[in-house]
Amino acid sequence: MNIQEIKKHNLSQFAQDFYGFELKKNSTVRNPCLTNGKDTIVIKRQQDGNYTFWSPTSQNKGSVIDLVIWQENTNMKHACKIALEKITGFTQDVKTGKAQAPKHVEAVKELDQEKLRQLKPVETHPYLESRGIDNINNDRFKETVFIDKHKNAVFPHTDAANEITGYAMKNKNFNGFSPGGSKTMWKSNQLDNDNQLVVTEAAIDALSYAKLMDERDSEKMSNTRFISTEGAFSPEVQEMIKTEITLMPDSTKVIAAFDNDNQGWKYANGLKEICKDMEHKCRIDIPRVKGYDWNDVLVKCLEKIKNIEEGNTPEKEQEIQPEEAMKC
């Protein structure tokens, strides 16, 4: 697939699948108008078949590649690589050049049911373990993480009726969402004594937060549910979050554990407003380092522990207090 073929990919679907954009009420079929809560884009298909966008909220415009440059804050060369990986569902290992993710050459308008049937729950996953996550066989997460035939870690999203609406896919150098699917929420298992709910952007952040919490307070971890929205925060998703809270005890505490970036803070404050309206307590817990998500925090904590064990850390820095485990 060359650059011209990339530019002919349905830009409206691309923005929705990978950057959390959703169609606005005043959107038309001819000129889709989308927003992710912060940015707005208007899309047009040109006579040559290429899709272009312009943003009335910024100075950004151009093709799907320009959208990637804007959203990923990267250069043209890297943006082309990212766009190709997302469109085809294909990424390459730098050393071997082997495909690491599923390939979809054409734009898919409906969720592929056959691919859903091929997903299998897993107890471990190499990529997740490389990111410090080894708790997916815990009762809290058992059979909530799957694998596809291309070895991607898969996190199904479900609607209010618990029907799968799509799924997030993670692997080394790959981050995608099922073509034709819609982002709602991925959920951990629900246990009888749960009295706390953690909401994150990505499922791997939920799993990371759970591992950090388990080290600090295993009893609290055993009473905590986790959900992630993969960056979606539409009115539908907000209503689903309200339902999740309603199904829990009145004393339930909610933790907004989003990324430390502008969008993460927006999600966190939005969740806090939801909880305020519902008269529930909500605590914002954002990583201390700008740009970090909770998986970044977990990886850094594990690196610190490894250095201590190998004697590579000064003695005065070696002790990690339990209350500091969430802040490494």
Side-chain angles (χ1 to χ4, degrees):
M1 180 179 286
N2 58 35
I3 291 179
Q4 290 307 314
E5 290 175 313
I6 291 174
K7 291 181 178 181
K8 293 183 186 300
H9 184 77
N10 189 315
L11 186 49
S12 175
Q13 181 180 340
F14 184 89
Q16 292 178 71
D17 286 346
F18 302 112
Y19 293 117
F21 282 89
E22 296 173 352
L23 290 169
K24 298 183 71 173
K25 290 183 179 179
N26 62 344
S27 181
T28 65
V29 175
R30 192 176 186 86
N31 292 112
C33 182
L34 304 91
T35 182
N36 62 4
K38 179 181 68 172
D39 302 315
T40 298
I41 58 174
V42 180
I43 294 172
K44 182 178 180 179
R45 191 174 191 183
Q46 305 295 333
Q47 291 184 349
D48 60 3
N50 290 349
Y51 285 87
T52 60
F53 78 93
W54 67 278
S55 171
T57 56
S58 73
Q59 301 297 315
N60 292 285
K61 61 181 180 179
S63 68
V64 61
I65 296 172
D66 296 293
L67 181 69
V68 175
I69 291 173
W70 175 26
Q71 295 294 310
E72 302 275 354
N73 191 27
T74 188
N75 57 37
M76 173 69 79
K77 183 178 180 180
H78 193 215
C80 289
K81 180 176 181 292
I82 292 172
L84 179 62
E85 290 174 354
K86 290 183 181 298
I87 289 171
T88 63
F90 167 92
T91 187
Q92 289 199 344
D93 183 286
V94 175
K95 294 181 179 178
T96 65
K98 293 182 179 180
Q100 299 295 322
K103 184 175 183 179
H104 304 288
V105 176
E106 300 297 331
V108 180
K109 296 183 182 298
E110 295 183 1
L111 186 63
D112 191 325
Q113 297 299 314
E114 179 58 32
K115 284 186 169 58
L116 277 181
R117 288 188 285 271
Q118 293 174 358
L119 301 180
K120 298 179 180 180
V122 289
E123 297 181 356
T124 61
H125 189 279
Y127 170 68
L128 297 181
E129 290 191 338
S130 76
R131 298 297 302 175
I133 297 170
D134 59 3
N135 56 351
I136 63 176
N137 199 39
N138 182 290
D139 287 344
R140 178 62 63 184
F141 302 111
K142 189 183 292 289
E143 297 190 351
T144 67
V145 181
F146 292 72
I147 194 169
D148 63 17
K149 66 178 182 179
H150 298 280
K151 309 303 181 184
N152 297 307
V154 173
F155 304 90
H157 282 220
T158 55
D159 58 17
N162 209 34
E163 295 292 327
I164 294 178
T165 62
Y167 48 88
M169 299 174 287
K170 309 287 183 183
N171 213 325
K172 184 178 181 180
N173 300 322
F174 179 73
N175 179 20
F177 199 84
S178 55
S182 58
K183 296 178 181 179
T184 49
M185 63 171 62
W186 168 86
K187 300 191 292 186
S188 71
N189 294 320
Q190 302 175 351
L191 305 181
D192 292 339
N193 296 323
D194 292 342
N195 57 18
Q196 185 165 261
L197 176 67
V198 173
V199 184
T200 67
E201 288 185 49
I204 63 171
D205 295 327
L207 292 163
S208 301
Y209 197 95
K211 181 166 181 176
L212 290 163
M213 178 184 286
D214 196 30
E215 291 293 324
R216 184 180 65 174
D217 189 340
S218 58
E219 183 176 352
K220 177 58 69 177
M221 159 60 197
S222 67
N223 296 329
T224 301
R225 295 178 187 177
F226 298 82
I227 61 177
S228 73
T229 64
E230 203 64 29
F233 209 69
S234 65
E236 177 191 5
V237 171
Q238 292 179 45
E239 287 300 317
M240 292 180 69
I241 292 174
K242 290 179 183 178
T243 299
E244 292 297 316
I245 296 173
T246 301
L247 293 174
M248 298 182 71
D250 292 340
S251 59
T252 293
K253 296 179 181 179
V254 179
I255 297 177
F258 296 101
D259 302 352
N260 188 349
D261 55 25
N262 292 337
Q263 194 63 55
W265 278 103
K266 183 169 184 176
Y267 293 146
N269 288 322
L271 180 57
K272 193 167 186 177
E273 285 300 312
I274 289 173
C275 292
K276 182 179 179 181
D277 292 341
M278 299 180 70
E279 298 183 346
H280 272 274
K281 294 181 179 179
C282 179
R283 178 168 66 89
I284 295 178
D285 197 7
I286 299 288
R288 292 189 301 176
V289 180
K290 183 72 173 178
Y292 268 38
D293 57 35
W294 281 105
N295 184 243
D296 294 324
V297 176
L298 174 62
V299 170
K300 289 299 180 182
C301 278
L302 294 177
E303 287 179 357
K304 186 173 182 179
I305 291 170
K306 182 179 179 180
N307 286 334
I308 291 173
E309 291 175 344
E310 294 177 352
N312 297 327
T313 302
E315 185 174 347
K316 65 179 181 180
E317 299 179 14
Q318 287 188 7
E319 187 174 0
I320 299 178
Q321 299 296 334
E323 63 272 14
E324 289 295 311
M326 302 295 285
K327 300 179 180 181
C328 288

